[in-house]
Amino acid sequence: MTGTRVPEKPTLDGLEDRWAAAWDQQGSYTFDRTKTRDQVFSIDTPPPTVSGSLHVGHVFSYTHTDCMARYKRMRGYEVFYPMGWDDNGLPTERRVQNFYGVRCDPSLPYDPDFSPPATPDAKQQVAISRRNFIELCEQLTVEDEVVFEQLWRRLGLSIDWSQTYQTIGANSQMVSQLAFLRNLKRGEAYQAEAPTLWDVTFRTAVAQAELEDRERPGAYHRIGFPTTLDPSTKVFIETTRPELLAACVALVAHPDDERYQPLFGTTVTSPIFGVEVPVVAHQLADPEKGSGIAMICTFGDLTDVIWWRELQLPTRPIIGWDGRILPETPEWITTSEAKAHYEHIAGATSHTAKERVVALLNQSGDIVGEPREIMHQVKFFEKGDKPLEIVTTRQWYISNGGRDPELRAELVKRGSEIRWHPAHMKVRYENWVEGLNGDWLISRQRFFGVPIPLWYRLDSEGNPIYSEIMMPEEADLPIDPSTDTPAGFDPQSRNQPGGFMADPDVMDTWATSSLTPQIAGGWERDPDLWARVSPVDVRPQAHEIIRTWLFSTVVRSHLEDNRLPFLNAAISGWILDPDRKKMSKSKGNVVTPMGLLDEYSADAVRYWAASGRPGTDTAFDVGQMKIGRRLAIKLLNASKFVLGLDATQNDAAISEDVDKALLAQLAKTVEQATTAFEDFNYARALEVAESFFWNFTDDYVELVKVRAYSETDVAGAASAKAALATTLDALLKLFAPFLPFVTEEVWSWWQEGTIHRSPWPSSEAILALAGNGDAAMVADVSEALSQIRKSKSDAKVSMRAVIESAVISASEDQNKRLQLAAKDLSSAGSIQSLTFAAGANIEVSVVLAAATE
RNA sequence: GGGCGCAUAGCUCAGUUGGCUAGAGCGCCGCCCUUACAAGGCGGAUGUCGGGGGUUCGAGUCCCUCUGCGCCCA
């Protein structure tokens, strides 16, 4: 019988659409939630940023994860493989503003009947409430998510499409807010006044990623500070920002600087403002810069912030959110003369204040010489025109060990509990955690994002009392404090004296992303699911976000559950373009994946991706895709041939030594691939499978072809067919994680069900069939066969040309093995008379038969 | 300035606790219409394993050092 359905002309065309649809229909990858935690392999899939553009970098790392998922599924695990979309944050905010012609005004009430303007006008954006804005974000990102999903399906990712989430979705908001409230109740979240990079034009905090340095002219002013011990002695500092003199909290010099060592621990008095400040030592003070001793102000630049923080200095801000000198005279300025000086600059822009302070210093004789003009780098918001100020604002923080050595040690320990792939990535985690010097700032002065779910009571003058926090009930989450009302208050009392106000901020996107295991796994929403999938088995991610995504996830899980969020971290590398630059949208060197899938097939593109070793940056290389395509086609043809021999059963006795040897080799291959996969080294698993496969088709199949066709050598033919069937079965399975389409196609020719739920091959079972087979024979036979071919190639004759006589000389062991294959070697090489002789290595000498026309 | 990684054939890369003459594919050259595959097959040539030093019977592999490149942090 032939139970096979082998097509006449196998092709890769159309496989992707056909099998993607079949898997979807059959629910091949649907998570079976009756399985218990020990039967489950769960994946904390990275949610890609839904920004409307796709590139091959996406394909690369997601393929790695899918190969692992498919392997584990074949190992019998029920794989929990969800998909998330990262549509939270600024990129989406900007796109929505431009696309719909709207802007977010959190003070506005929610309008359930709102619809965006028919013809968006970027210059006259319609102001809408935060909830309306978020709804538009969701609408727009859904379109992008459809495009991503099509790509993922086409690529063959074995995702359970019933398990999806959006980082701005209601569930993500609920999880983010709930986790935050738990942190707050346990004392892990707190608010504090802290210095923030601030754009005075836009009146917004600016993130590190939005900074740019610009060269600007400046001038050093040399200013004398009388020492307290002897007011006739002055210490001279040089500063480019004399307007901040009233904000001076200390002078600082390098600890090794002998000029200033006697002053450490003493105090000096600021000129014109008469404030006594200490002289301190810090490594970052540069003896070569200016006079070698600097004025620390709160805050002139980022170094001031570091000094202020590390030296525990007081906070004396004088610049307001509008960039002007604060109107009220600060409490640390006490003498009437100093107060008069301050009043002279109060309310001025920093530019005007600088002129006035310099004038006052000139009058008092505390400035020396002319200003020395320089060019220096100044930090700007990338879209701003004025230099950034550093202002102190009230922000929310979560403890991450940055200020607590005990917690830090616990988090370092957590990092060492994670199994890292590759192992050296652990060091990056440790370096980061050990180098932390502050807690995690999670509040952002943005519109789009998960709102901080709090309100504050307002005093009788309408000023917020930040110590009187009002939290929502957990059951009411998610909430938007800008439209929802705290318990016990009338909506009318919003922003009224004696009433309440919403916290205006949203959370950092990492505050949500740090909870992806909880979001996807049903934490607090579906405790039964959560128990079956957590802690997650593997977190796949890129190396540059170990310090952000990975670390913050560990922090949340440690604080909430006192355990790891995931057991393994699989770190992927980047895609580099052929010039070895990181591929990114801004460089314009991005290759879009759909065209590649069309040209080379999904299996071929996956082959390229899977060749990239874990954690290693990999060059974009269509050459690898061509090889992958060739491999997939070869798999079709070789399978067609094997099945065409009716080699579909492996229950016949495997009697021939060559066949046993092949199976011994196969068992070894399976074992190596399995070991590699267990170590998350999918690339190695592919390599060993591929290496075996080419040897199988090039040599073994050629060798046993004649015997397998034989009608006289019944036992020999049966043995060959059984070995072929066994090998084909195992090979398809070894390749299934990498080439899901072509292996499924071939599987369907002769087997029932999906290959992707069939059991991973067992090296023990294959070894049992191999009996006393000697794997070393495979290489010897290949070598002999290769030399027989070479002799024909050298003689420029067809491979079918008849060899009259051949002598193989080889070592005793090799000869022993080769003689067992003599029959097959003779038929494969068309050798009429084959004899063996003693020698060192395998050498074949032949006498070709006279050509017969 | 600190940390991590990389450097092997013209190209892209393997090379596992040190072990026979360092491998694969692409590309290149030659041959073969061969009854699974000519969009294929078979065969061939190609190396100062970045430089220098050390440990060892033996080093691409371990140690030191230098150079170049990448990333993260300061």
Side-chain angles (χ1 to χ4, degrees), chain A residues 575-641:
Chain A
I575 295 310
L576 307 176
D577 71 10
D579 297 330
R580 307 208 64 77
K581 296 284 186 306
K582 185 191 173 186
M583 221 175 242
S584 67
K585 205 174 143 193
S586 59
K587 292 197 176 73
N589 56 0
V590 168
V591 178
T592 57
M594 270 304 183
L596 296 171
L597 293 173
D598 288 339
E599 185 170 359
Y600 299 104
S601 84
D603 283 339
V605 173
R606 290 173 62 104
Y607 172 89
W608 158 74
S611 312
R613 308 185 84 75
T616 307
D617 294 346
T618 301
F620 173 73
D621 184 7
V622 292
Q624 284 293 109
M625 296 178 199
K626 289 179 186 166
I627 299 164
R629 183 174 175 83
R630 196 172 64 121
L631 173 64
I633 291 171
K634 188 81 173 177
L635 211 45
L636 288 175
N637 286 319
S639 301
K640 180 189 169 200
F641 176 70

Side-chain angles (χ1 to χ4, degrees), chain A residues 195-197 208 211 284 299-309 379 390:
Chain A
T196 315
L197 283 163
Q208 197 80 31
L211 292 182
L284 284 178
F299 295 93
D301 62 18
L302 290 171
T303 318
D304 281 343
V305 178
I306 296 168
W307 283 326
W308 167 82
R309 191 192 294 129
K379 294 210 181 306
I390 297 171

Side-chain angles (χ1 to χ4, degrees), chain A residues 773-784:
Chain A
D774 182 358
M777 188 172 165
V778 175
D780 288 340
V781 169
S782 290
E783 175 61 21

